Amino acid sequence: MSDVYELTVTVDLREGLSDRQLAELRWHLGLGPQPGQLTVVTDFPCVVVDDDGVPRIENEPRPLLAGSGPARRTTGALCSALAARDGLPGGGWALTSRTEIHPDETEEVGALLRWLAEHAHDTLRREEGTVRLGHYRACEDPEPSALEVRVRDGQVNLTEALLPRSR
């Protein structure tokens, strides 16, 4: 199993996101500072060892789609953009992000992807309840797989692929 995956997210979001949600989304994309209170993804567990050598779990927030510059393991550049989308019925936001993720980040990234799917523009929703958000691939794979979220149960196929026993 690969230890790095290319993740490309391309989604149009509905209008009506709050200023707080947009600020957090910009932070996750590497386009703004960390907001004081996180509401989109709130859990970022990280194991640390204290001075007595005892491991404990702390919450260490970090932006999840903020890759920039040359890719380390895949080809091309890592980047993100968020722009107002006036051409959609009702307006909205256009989001694009290309980054590399490690399987250890799958739970947190999956939570963000579920949130994006819930806020995806209605034009992206399929009859069976899925939203296609982009694609992903292991760094050694020549072909990407579709990145989809089943909105009804929040299941992300990226999470299934990298962590088959989780949801």
Side-chain angles (χ1 to χ4, degrees), residues 83-119:
R85 182 78 177 216
D86 298 329
L88 288 173
W93 298 90
L95 180 151
T96 298
S97 179
R98 181 177 186 269
T99 193
E100 294 175 326
I101 65 167
H102 188 275
D104 290 346
E105 300 173 292
T106 305
E107 297 284 342
E108 295 85 5
V109 172
L112 179 57
L113 295 174
R114 283 187 290 277
W115 185 90
L116 290 172
E118 291 169 3
H119 293 83

Side-chain angles (χ1 to χ4, degrees), residues 23-94:
E24 187 170 345
L25 191 52
R26 284 187 181 100
W27 172 67
H28 277 298
L29 296 170
L31 304 174
Q34 179 179 344
Q37 181 181 6
L38 300 176
T39 60
V40 174
V41 180
T42 57
D43 294 324
F44 297 85
C46 179
V47 176
V48 296
V49 178
D50 67 17
D51 294 338
D52 297 324
V54 177
R56 68 175 193 276
I57 297 176
E58 291 188 357
N59 194 32
E60 293 188 10
R62 64 193 177 286
L64 298 171
L65 302 176
S68 64
R72 291 188 181 111
R73 297 285 306 273
T74 60
T75 59
L78 308 178
C79 56
S80 293
L82 180 67
R85 182 78 177 216
D86 298 329
L88 288 173
W93 298 90

Side-chain angles (χ1 to χ4, degrees), residues 6-41:
E6 171 191 31
L7 176 66
T8 302
V9 178
T10 55
V11 64
D12 290 328
L13 303 170
R14 292 188 305 268
E15 189 175 53
L17 298 178
S18 69
D19 289 342
R20 180 179 282 176
Q21 290 170 323
L22 286 169
E24 187 170 345
L25 191 52
R26 284 187 181 100
W27 172 67
H28 277 298
L29 296 170
L31 304 174
Q34 179 179 344
Q37 181 181 6
L38 300 176
T39 60
V40 174
V41 180

Side-chain angles (χ1 to χ4, degrees), residues 113-127:
L113 295 174
R114 283 187 290 277
W115 185 90
L116 290 172
E118 291 169 3
H119 293 83
H121 198 276
D122 293 337
T123 58
L124 299 176
R125 297 179 185 277
R126 297 178 175 179
E127 287 182 29

Side-chain angles (χ1 to χ4, degrees), residues 5-6 135-146:
Y5 287 78
E6 171 191 31
H135 65 269
Y136 68 97
R137 70 177 181 88
C139 65
E140 67 273 0
D141 289 346
E143 298 296 323
S145 298

